[in-house]
Amino acid sequence: MPKPAAVLLPGTGSDEVFVRSVFAGPLGAFGIRTRTPAPPGGAAVTAGLLTSLDDAAADGPVLAGGISLGAHLAAEWAVRNPGRCAGLLLAMPAWCGRPDEAPASLAARASADLVDSQGLEEALRLATAGVAPWLAAELTRAWRRHGDGLAASLRVAAAHPAPTLDALAGLDVPVGIAACTDDPVHPAAVAHAWAEALPRAVVRETTLTALGADRESLGRAALLAWLQAGG
């Protein structure tokens, strides 16, 4: 049987370029076509990305997934559309249920405030000071592509609930989760909590250091975890 297409969604303030660099190679080597929709501008980001999954699944079930916010949205969509989801590839989930004071939510809100108060270019200068060069390059490209809608996009993402653990417990599809053990913004403990709640999930751990050297390391971890989970 032909393998389902994969639809991978970007994280907060990120873009489809980064998601594609993480997932397209590993999935392509396994014979899976990858679609990476661009994030809609501004406050439409979450609703627009969810709609992109609806559109992609019009012709049959898809393998859904994403990074950070993209992982949350893919899981949210799968909870509502279990018959249209062939499985999940989730990288670096950031919280369970309401974001409250989750580090990723706080960081997105702080970034939005910085953009509004300092302007995009100064916010970028401040946000990338002292961070790894690969991450600085990713932020610079993606934030500039978001343009005037960046702050609104960050705020909507920061406030958007992830699926609750109870909701995840009812989702009976194979799920591969990748976590970075050296990432305090997306704690590995959250990935393990998701996996414990899901009936058919495996976590594989990697690091941000590995991601900086090889973007596909994160995608491989999620794919191998999905295969272990029965994908």
Side-chain angles (χ1 to χ4, degrees):
M1 293 180 62
K3 295 181 174 70
V7 183
L8 286 308
L9 308 180
T12 303
S14 187
D15 63 8
E16 77 283 5
V17 176
F18 181 63
V19 178
R20 190 179 305 120
S21 72
V22 167
F23 284 104
L27 291 175
F30 200 67
I32 298 175
R33 293 178 296 111
T34 302
R35 303 179 191 176
T36 53
V45 61
T46 53
L49 288 173
L50 288 167
T51 297
S52 71
L53 285 169
D54 286 329
D55 293 344
D59 297 326
V62 298
L63 180 57
I67 301 171
S68 188
L69 172 70
H72 296 187
L73 295 174
E76 175 185 336
W77 179 84
V79 166
R80 293 204 303 261
N81 301 274
R84 305 171 74 193
C85 181
L88 290 169
L89 294 168
L90 309 177
M92 301 160 59
W95 59 77
C96 310
R98 295 175 58 85
D100 296 326
E101 301 303 300
S105 178
L106 293 176
R109 283 181 265 166
S111 294
D113 290 343
L114 193 62
V115 171
D116 278 342
S117 65
Q118 302 296 323
L120 176 58
E121 292 304 318
E122 179 63 10
L124 266 173
R125 187 186 70 80
L126 295 170
T128 58
V131 307
W134 73 268
L135 181 55
E138 293 292 344
L139 287 174
T140 298
R141 184 200 64 252
W143 281 22
R144 285 175 176 162
R145 290 188 70 206
H146 279 273
D148 292 342
L150 176 61
S153 175
L154 292 170
R155 288 201 171 89
V156 166
H160 194 83
T164 65
L165 297 180
D166 285 345
L168 293 175
L171 186 56
D172 189 19
V173 298
V175 182
I177 306 176
C180 290
T181 56
D182 57 351
D183 183 2
V185 178
H186 305 86
V190 173
H192 286 281
W194 280 42
E196 289 174 10
L198 287 154
R200 301 166 59 193
V202 172
V203 177
R204 288 184 69 98
E205 294 181 340
T206 182
T207 64
L208 289 178
T209 300
L211 179 60
D214 175 12
R215 302 293 184 273
E216 293 183 356
S217 61
L218 187 65
R220 285 195 300 272
L223 176 60
L224 290 172
W226 177 68
L227 293 170
Q228 284 183 270

